[in-house]
Amino acid sequence: MSNDNTLNLHYVHQCFQRSLKEEDDVVIEAYIEGYTELVKFLDLIGTVFSFVSSDVKSKIKVMEKHKECEQSMYYESFKKMMNYEKETSLHEKNGFVSGSRTMLRLHRGLDFIRLFLKRVSEIDDKANTCSICQETYNLTLAEFHPWYIRKAATLAMYALPSKPDLLKKIFGTEESLTAALAILPQTLSSCDEVYKRVEQLYTDFDFHTLP
């Protein structure tokens, strides 16, 4: 199960596997459960991405409200949600907090987290985690952030610890780290499959540019 002080990749893997629906859809509740665990990664590496973590948590609260409303049946999966909001033009309605727009922000964050985790696991212990983080950020989230946030984030990354210290902060004990590294390939594979499906749905519904 989940622990507030460490990242449980096995739990992330289980949730994301459970989120896979049919051949091309993703169950929102299971996605958010896995994502909530995965976003601890941002909290555990320090204040570098606290602004992203805070934004993600607020978006998750928005989706929880959608799950409690009268139209909750339309928010069971990404495809169902997008189809509902597109058919009713809710994604364009002023004053309505679109689930599709909200989840797009989480989707972009997932791209950064999965890629950074993968790259950190591949570098040797003496490699610079700061440069890896900056490169990953520039490839993913940076294009969606205004200049002042990009500048602040890039500067804050210089405070990232070495790989061994970073992994210790994220996973805790040596035993937990060993278990995490063993499950990491499967977890990353699950993240990739979920990301690929959601990315395709945003393309199919032409929702990538939601404001």
Side-chain angles (χ1 to χ4, degrees):
M1 287 299 292
S2 174
N3 180 313
D4 287 343
N5 300 315
T6 56
L7 174 60
N8 187 333
L9 290 182
H10 184 67
Y11 182 69
V12 174
H13 173 60
Q14 287 181 319
C15 291
F16 278 1
Q17 279 296 303
R18 191 158 37 86
S19 78
L20 300 176
K21 180 182 179 183
E22 297 170 351
E23 297 298 319
D24 59 355
D25 203 1
V26 176
V27 176
I28 290 175
E29 185 173 1
Y31 174 94
I32 287 179
E33 286 176 4
Y35 201 105
T36 300
E37 179 68 22
L38 194 58
V39 82
K40 286 182 190 175
F41 175 71
L42 301 180
D43 295 323
L44 292 167
I45 62 176
T47 58
V48 181
F49 287 100
S50 57
F51 69 97
V52 177
S53 176
S54 176
D55 184 53
V56 162
K57 290 169 185 174
S58 70
K59 297 295 186 286
I60 288 174
K61 287 182 180 178
V62 168
M63 294 310 298
E64 287 172 351
K65 289 181 180 178
H66 279 306
K67 290 292 289 180
E68 294 168 0
C69 72
E70 291 183 10
Q71 290 75 35
S72 60
M73 73 284 292
Y74 298 114
Y75 291 91
E76 292 176 354
S77 73
F78 276 86
K79 185 189 283 189
K80 191 177 286 188
M81 170 183 69
M82 292 181 189
N83 191 54
Y84 168 63
E85 292 193 349
K86 186 145 194 171
E87 284 188 345
T88 57
S89 298
L90 278 172
H91 64 295
E92 299 173 336
K93 183 179 178 181
N94 289 331
F96 177 77
V97 184
S98 163
S100 301
R101 178 188 179 279
T102 299
M103 295 303 285
L104 178 58
R105 273 57 183 174
L106 299 190
H107 176 62
R108 291 169 178 170
L110 177 60
D111 196 22
F112 167 76
I113 296 171
R114 71 188 181 111
L115 187 55
F116 188 36
L117 263 176
K118 182 176 187 295
R119 290 189 167 194
V120 167
S121 70
E122 291 173 343
I123 62 176
D124 63 51
D125 287 354
K126 294 182 180 179
N128 191 333
T129 58
C130 168
S131 61
I132 294 296
C133 188
Q134 289 175 341
E135 289 170 10
T136 306
Y137 177 68
N138 288 332
L139 284 171
T140 56
L141 284 174
E143 68 172 293
F144 307 110
H145 291 157
W147 177 86
Y148 68 94
I149 287 183
R150 293 200 303 270
K151 185 70 172 177
T154 301
L155 288 173
M157 290 172 203
Y158 285 105
L160 284 173
S162 64
K163 176 182 176 178
D165 289 343
L166 185 65
L167 293 179
K168 187 175 181 180
K169 287 182 71 173
I170 297 168
F171 299 112
T173 65
E174 281 294 325
E175 184 180 354
S176 296
L177 174 57
T178 300
L181 292 178
I183 193 68
L184 181 60
Q186 292 171 267
T187 304
L188 288 174
S189 179
S190 296
C191 289
D192 290 346
E193 178 61 24
V194 167
Y195 181 83
K196 182 181 75 175
R197 289 189 181 201
V198 174
E199 178 76 2
Q200 187 60 51
L201 286 169
Y202 274 100
T203 299
D204 293 344
F205 283 90
D206 194 24
F207 274 0
H208 278 295
T209 56
L210 287 175

